[in-house]
Amino acid sequence: MNDVKRVYRFGADAAGNDVTEGRSSMNYVLGGKGANLAEMCRIGLPVPGGFTITCQTCTDYTSAGDTWPEGALDEIADAVQDLEARMGKRLGDPTDPLLVSVRSGAPFSMPGMMDTVLNLGLTDASAQGLITQTAAEHFVWDSYRRFIQMFSNVVMGIDADLFENALTEKRLMAGVRTDSELSASTLHELVEEFKQIFCSHVDPKAHPELVQEGRVVFPQDPKVQLKLAIEAVFGSWMNERASIYRKQHGISDSLGTAVNVQAMAYGNKGESSATGVAFTRNPATGERERYGDFLVNAQGEDVVAGIRNTEPIQDMATYPALAQAADDLERIFVILENHYHDMCDIEFTIEQGKLWMLQTRSGKRTARAALRIAIEMVEEGLIDRDTAVKRIDPSQLDQLLHPQLDTTASFEVLARGLNASPGAAVGEIVFSSDDAVKRSNEGHPVILVRWETNPDDLKGMVAAEGILTSHGGKTSHAAVIARGMGTPCVCGVEAFHIDAKAKEVRIDGSDVVLHEGDLISIDGGEGIVVLGAMPLTRADLTGDLETVLGWADEIRLQEDGSHPYHVRVNADNPDDAALALDFGAEAIGLCRTEHMFLGERKNIIQTYILSDEVQERSRALEELLRVQTSDFVEMFRTMDRRDVVVRLIDPPLHEFLDDPRELAVALARREAEGAPQDELSLLRARLRRIDAMAESNPMLGLRGVRLSFAFPDLPLMQVRAIATAAATLIRDEGLSPRPEIMVPLVSVASEHIQMRSIAERVIQEVESAFGVALDIPIGTMLELPRACLTADEIAPLADFFCFGTNDLTQTTFGFSRDDAEAKFIPAYLHQKLLTANPFETIDSAVLEFVRMAVSKARTAHPGMTFGVCGEHGGDPASISQLFNIAGVDYVSCSPYRVPVARLAAAHAKLANR
Amino acid sequence: MNDVKRVYRFGADAAGNDVTEGRSSMNYVLGGKGANLAEMCRIGLPVPGGFTITCQTCTDYTSAGDTWPEGALDEIADAVQDLEARMGKRLGDPTDPLLVSVRSGAPFSMPGMMDTVLNLGLTDASAQGLITQTAAEHFVWDSYRRFIQMFSNVVMGIDADLFENALTEKRLMAGVRTDSELSASTLHELVEEFKQIFCSHVDPKAHPELVQEGRVVFPQDPKVQLKLAIEAVFGSWMNERASIYRKQHGISDSLGTAVNVQAMAYGNKGESSATGVAFTRNPATGERERYGDFLVNAQGEDVVAGIRNTEPIQDMATYPALAQAADDLERIFVILENHYHDMCDIEFTIEQGKLWMLQTRSGKRTARAALRIAIEMVEEGLIDRDTAVKRIDPSQLDQLLHPQLDTTASFEVLARGLNASPGAAVGEIVFSSDDAVKRSNEGHPVILVRWETNPDDLKGMVAAEGILTSHGGKTSHAAVIARGMGTPCVCGVEAFHIDAKAKEVRIDGSDVVLHEGDLISIDGGEGIVVLGAMPLTRADLTGDLETVLGWADEIRLQEDGSHPYHVRVNADNPDDAALALDFGAEAIGLCRTEHMFLGERKNIIQTYILSDEVQERSRALEELLRVQTSDFVEMFRTMDRRDVVVRLIDPPLHEFLDDPRELAVALARREAEGAPQDELSLLRARLRRIDAMAESNPMLGLRGVRLSFAFPDLPLMQVRAIATAAATLIRDEGLSPRPEIMVPLVSVASEHIQMRSIAERVIQEVESAFGVALDIPIGTMLELPRACLTADEIAPLADFFCFGTNDLTQTTFGFSRDDAEAKFIPAYLHQKLLTANPFETIDSAVLEFVRMAVSKARTAHPGMTFGVCGEHGGDPASISQLFNIAGVDYVSCSPYRVPVARLAAAHAKLANR
């Protein structure tokens, strides 16, 4: 361990020479705060001296069960001694004490950890020394009481209210409004009271080092204070809030946090002192203006605590005692942007007119601001287009593409659920798909409220402005379809007890009972439900977004060593296709044909499936051929000259039939009611047929390519419809349709080969009938482990592979998505058995299957194309891995995710350079 | 193609010197028949000269769309010329013609293909020549009519009945009983009639080469006859019956069949001529006695056809004209066994006192005979133990473990026949193969009752529990196939008068008339038929079986470069465990604990799952702990000192609950009947709770280790029960229980790790409570693709891996077994999309997952143990691959499969040397 450097100095030595050892690139060593403090020192900005204890030290300490690694404490003691020498003061010196701040700073900005202890080093003796030195008794007692308060709360975990109550009492007794108006002697009294509170709330068994003569005392040795503070920072890395935050943001537990120990600068030394936070540009709009707040005569925590009203940073120059500092700050803003080439977020303190920088980092910003800042910085020559594109977080873009609740209006949240599909919507509650269609046709916007949705609800979902379910997770039917349609959706609103028959909702913890027609507002980006009609703000694709996406397209489509990264869309109808073209989709990567069987056409497919009469069946099939052909004609016309990958029918056929349980219940009821035998016989016969189609695990049953061997007419009808539609457009309209046929759920190569040979025969028949040549590639949908493992066997007779990573995730994990997301994935995430929901972000093993299959297939069949059309195709984290690790040529996602995917693909391409 | 040798000669040249080019090891080149003909020549046995056309030629011909490969016809023409020179006769010679037989012969014995054409070379001219030469007019016309009949039927596919009818008519007109009694002139007439039948049933378009002056004629050029016959053999390789047979036996389509062209030897040249088939030992019992049938003055097909009653081979020596040949045959029996070190099956013909060998091969035998022969050959020094073990087909052992009629019950024999294939069966009578399949698919056990069977009946024979024929001997089609399949069979039940059309049987000496669907019982080991359903008893392991299994154990447990191959049992209760010990299981590889919750205990688990009251739940859990502990005490006591791998609860909990649909129907009925509100409320509440447990795809839902995170009490209760049972036996009985705990359905390492740490805590608690040390290994059940792919992550904290290849097959293929086997796997097998049911014989991709996981885990955690406890653990073909390719240490199977697995493991070990 002795060869590990655990402490890095920053700031100047006694002679004013910079002795900084770190730099901004040492993020993982020093944390973000420590690395940027070092960097500011290097570029000559005024930073109080100090040192940073490395993240590794935290990891070593916590992983050894809160035990200090060998030598670390010595190294810290040396650094303290060095700092004392540099500052010309000593910790605890009863004549001129050094005081320090102790702040945590992880490699990623992370709320939830112990943050800051100021004024460390104050003791009864050093407080007196400081009074002697500064003659500022008020300031010293104020600093000491703040220190005791912070140390007690953040280091020892004592309830902050105990101190606030004592403070309030003193203010009331003194008849003053603010703490700064309290007298020095009152503050001195408070110091004693605070120490009492400390002593009576610390467990002597947990802290034997604080026990003197049998009772706890407030530590009077600054070295003890410092050690406890550092240990508290380390300990806070593993606390629950921090852990949850890391889990949510995919940050590894093993990174650890650094600790920054820095000489204090005082913003509370009177009217020429101040403290503040600021951004170099407006983080909400991106405008090129300074943005921030400051407080005169205050310490850092006062700004954040909101006890006193802050003033806008622009007003600082109006205070004569702060004018010079304001000038310096403006100069530093410029230096920072020129150095970091980014919008920066800073913390500063002005001590008696002298500006000190306490922190800088890249500023958080809204999507809108991010776009504007990136574009303007390109114009200013600060950054290039690649950097501009990299600066925009793809997952933020959703914000821009959907309407939002207008948060300037005041409102109360009625219930919360999962943010299943972004955007806000207002409408009247309806409880069934039919009612949704009816009311919406009458001109009322509606919100479809269901226990859960199923394919029968599609009509209603299309008619609704928004969807709310009380059950189901983020990949439930409602969520998936809603995201696909770009309809706002809140899922899993468990507080809603829906009685669809009575058409009412009772809500846990609320007296409100909702009835059909009542207005509610939902925000699917936030997962909230509000009673009544909230005003909405609609954000269009702004010019800025178009500009940046244009740059992103240039990057991702470059042939720079790696192939272009293409983005396609999952679209099942011409409207979605047209929308997706607007959003920049290059082609249709997945056209699901089963949705074309719903609505009024359900009767036809039911007849086909259930009828015993050959003639009736073949009439139904003819009718399906007619309607599907016309669907494809429209689709291919919209997508002229662009690939349209049509997947042959995939779901188990019983999805198109009545629910057998409902039918059984209806039958039982009619039996008990003594219905005529004729009616009962018919019901029984129908139930028998539907029961014959039932399966134990439909996800793994008779579906996909397997249907081709049980109901061979059906996929062949579809192939005929595709070929006929293409041939019609070529012959009659001179267009260039580019359909491709995808065979779903292949597990053995023979399935694909047989389906292909049958399909090719049908295509040839259509070619002869129309007298046109058709070029319709036939590919395989890879969505089962076996298909991936044997991709080299399937590849030679496939023109392309498209990975259905939703189903592949299901079979790789043995997770049924519907069941897993409802029953155990939330618990798995909570207990950290999984770091991410594998249905949202692609799992490493699933990715490995894709990578393996691509690699095997490329060898077996050079020149093949590979795509992904699972939901991962719209998830930025997955997109990067799919392109850069698995090596696919395109991702395909729902229309509203296309801009996100374009940007994420550009990011992936840049990361791959 | 020119460097491929397509024709191999066998037999002597004109000077009597052997010119044979093949040998017995050239099975794949010359087929079994051709290779053994060559071998017989080499060891000096009398074989009529001839040549063999290679299997490759068939493959080339059929794969090129029935087109002859270049040069092949020339090579055959050369071989014919050579044969003519060797025999001193020419094909079609009008003075002294050469006649030949043409027989197929694949590398594996394979019914269903075109078999034999005799007397080829006879034409109108050569028949006259032969009469001139032999003065045996009767013989010549009989031979010619046989030839036309066979050629028409087997080469041209003309209905055999047409010829039989003509023959019958002649017999009736002549007033004779057998064909051989017909006069030469009648036979001559028949030749003309047969030619007429031929000409009117051959399609001139399909056979332009047979058309002369606008009409079809019977081919008068022997070269044309030969070419057509060879092509017919090639074509029959791909016919449906042959394909089905290959599919069932896992024989590749690409092997092809050879064709043997051989000079005729005549068994129908009078009383000093004969033909017959024989085995060197009794193929039913294994006794050291000659076994077979012969017919005087007959050709080969007469023996098989069963038209005349054959005589036992022992009686041959009683015919003075055949005595020398009988002597020679006895001598040859000895030569053959000494040469092949095996029991041989032969075909022979005696032509005017001279013995000719037409075929030899390893004789098919019952399992019982196989054991006896193997053991006796070891005693005789003919073979060693390894060979003896190799000689027993593991899948045949089932026969011995097959049920027998319970002879302690009183019963009356309805009829007697030949004990053609051992084992007893009970089922409903069916009279056709189609009915057998149909009824059996409906879930009824059936006995197929036929006059005789033919290759067309194969499907029905597979579907039947047992087979009964009224004709045919122990070497008839029914007998041979039934023995091969291990299906009980009684042949030659002559008292049965079967009217297949009327679907009834009248019985000599009985008033009983049997109809379709009537229940009968048969015992193929005793050759008896009993009316009604008899109770069956299971046969014990015989001494011979024990001997051979003992040798097998010695082999499989050797540490000879590879590790020992262990066999465990899947057993859930002490009875099964005890049975399995008798059958030679070494340990319990899988004890499923959920079966322990069934029966009366179902109420307890239902209470645990459904109750809202904490107290009630915990009482239920206590009760479960009590009963499971006592289950384990019994189990571990039975298996003292042997490993018992206990799998924690695996199935979804709703399997223990009522069916929600039934409940919903009951509720609807009670509602309609106006039941009291109290009752309805209770029903509704119960339904709601059960519905909350419902899942869309239970196989992939909340089950296995996942239950540990939703119902943590349940698996912990089980761990406590296991540990408590072990501790009790150690403390109170001084036993050495060796339980192991297996965590099911792991997909990510964290599941296993968390479950393990919780389980270890419970085990420690029990250790303290009992004051005994427990050593309970904790392993993982690998049954998901993700677990296999990340085995190296799971391995470090697992003591063993056991592969659940049933579930692994389900997720690898995306096949729900329940649905797939009912809905599409049969069609897949029929259409050859799959070559085997992957739930019976392990699929190559599933095997690859196991191999991959073993290999990764061995690296990550050297010294781990690996097993398989899916059904593949009892399948001989899978066992070999699991040991030799995947590298597992043990297989675990159901008790009755244990002897099969022991033998299969020995085979695997021998194959791996």
Side-chain angles (χ1 to χ4, degrees), chain A residues 567-595:
Chain A
V567 174
R568 298 182 169 195
V569 67
N570 301 343
D572 309 339
N573 58 64
D575 286 350
D576 274 2
L579 178 67
L581 288 179
D582 284 350
F583 279 154
E586 300 169 58
I588 291 184
L590 176 63
C591 172
R592 302 179 199 86
T593 50
E594 49 269 18
H595 291 171

Side-chain angles (χ1 to χ4, degrees), chain B residues 36-54:
Chain B
N36 282 319
L37 282 170
E39 191 73 10
M40 285 197 290
C41 294
R42 284 189 181 272
I43 62 174
L45 302 192
V47 177
F51 58 87
T52 306
I53 304 165
T54 62

Side-chain angles (χ1 to χ4, degrees), chain A residues 204-249:
Chain A
K205 276 182 211 131
H207 289 283
E209 75 275 29
L210 300 182
V211 176
Q212 280 180 8
E213 297 170 12
R215 43 188 291 274
V216 170
V217 296
F218 188 80
Q220 293 298 316
D221 177 351
K223 304 254 163 80
V224 171
Q225 294 172 357
L226 183 61
K227 181 163 172 277
L228 283 170
I230 295 170
E231 289 176 352
V233 173
F234 286 170
S236 71
W237 175 254
M238 296 308 292
N239 78 22
E240 200 190 341
R241 269 191 299 153
S243 294
I244 289 174
Y245 182 89
R246 282 199 294 278
K247 200 169 59 193
Q248 279 174 341
H249 292 75

Side-chain angles (χ1 to χ4, degrees), chain B residues 547-842:
Chain B
T547 304
V548 170
L549 286 178
W551 295 345
D553 287 348
E554 273 170 34
I555 294 166
R556 70 183 172 87
L557 295 174
Q558 261 169 36
E559 304 231 25
D560 54 351
S562 65
H563 59 84
Y565 290 3
H566 295 288
V567 174
R568 298 182 169 196
V569 67
N570 302 342
D572 309 338
N573 57 64
D575 286 351
D576 274 3
L579 179 67
L581 288 179
D582 285 349
F583 278 155
E586 300 168 57
I588 291 184
L590 175 64
C591 171
R592 302 179 200 85
T593 50
E594 51 268 17
H595 292 171
M596 299 177 175
F597 292 145
L598 296 177
E600 321 156 339
R601 301 171 180 182
K602 207 162 155 178
N603 281 334
I604 318 174
I605 182 109
Q606 287 190 351
T607 304
Y608 169 74
I609 298 168
L610 294 179
S611 175
D612 270 345
E613 285 175 35
V614 178
Q615 281 213 322
E616 207 172 25
R617 282 171 66 103
S618 70
R619 263 200 310 276
L621 200 67
E622 287 285 317
E623 183 61 14
L624 288 173
L625 174 62
R626 201 184 55 75
V627 296
Q628 283 228 307
T629 304
S630 89
D631 288 340
F632 289 131
V633 163
E634 267 198 82
M635 198 81 176
F636 299 160
R637 194 186 285 128
T638 306
M639 296 299 290
D640 190 35
R641 297 182 181 279
R642 292 172 189 268
D643 292 340
V644 178
V645 177
V646 182
R647 181 176 71 183
L648 298 180
I649 185 167
D650 183 54
L653 295 189
H654 51 74
E655 286 195 6
F656 300 109
L657 304 179
D658 298 340
D659 176 24
R661 170 163 154 185
E662 281 173 22
L663 204 55
V665 165
L667 173 61
R669 190 168 291 130
R670 293 299 289 148
E671 279 172 345
E673 290 166 0
Q677 280 306 317
D678 280 5
E679 181 194 333
L680 296 179
S681 299
L682 273 174
L683 276 175
R684 283 192 200 112
R686 188 169 180 83
L687 180 57
R688 214 164 24 241
R689 291 216 184 121
I690 291 177
D691 270 344
M693 305 285 299
E695 292 182 304
S696 315
N697 298 287
M699 219 278 291
L700 307 181
L702 183 59
R703 50 172 288 233
V705 68
R706 299 164 197 169
L707 288 168
S708 316
F709 306 108
F711 294 87
D713 295 344
L714 213 48
L716 286 193
M717 175 279 289
Q718 295 193 308
V719 172
R720 192 174 300 279
I722 294 163
T724 304
T728 306
L729 289 174
I730 295 169
R731 193 191 57 184
D732 300 348
E733 305 184 24
L735 297 183
S736 303
R738 281 167 53 180
E740 310 197 356
I741 289 173
M742 181 153 69
V743 183
L745 212 70
V746 167
S747 55
V748 290
S750 56
E751 292 171 319
H752 179 79
I753 293 166
Q754 185 149 331
M755 188 63 225
R756 182 187 183 100
S757 80
I758 299 169
E760 280 176 342
R761 220 177 302 146
V762 173
I763 293 169
Q764 276 168 19
E765 285 171 25
V766 175
E767 281 181 319
S768 318
F770 279 75
V772 300
L774 294 172
D775 174 18
I776 305 183
I778 300 176
T780 323
M781 186 149 176
L782 261 60
E783 41 193 339
L784 294 169
R786 196 182 190 288
C788 292
L789 209 59
T790 60
D792 47 344
E793 295 172 17
I794 305 170
L797 274 162
D799 297 314
F800 60 89
F801 277 173
C802 188
F803 295 88
T805 52
N806 296 350
D807 272 9
L808 187 57
T809 301
Q810 297 199 84
T811 42
T812 299
F813 275 86
F815 283 0
S816 159
R817 183 171 187 177
D818 291 342
D819 303 315
E821 290 196 327
K823 305 230 160 152
F824 55 87
I825 285 183
Y828 269 42
L829 291 170
H830 182 71
Q831 295 182 46
K832 298 194 206 174
L833 294 165
L834 289 172
T835 52
N837 180 346
F839 293 108
E840 289 171 5
T841 297
I842 196 159

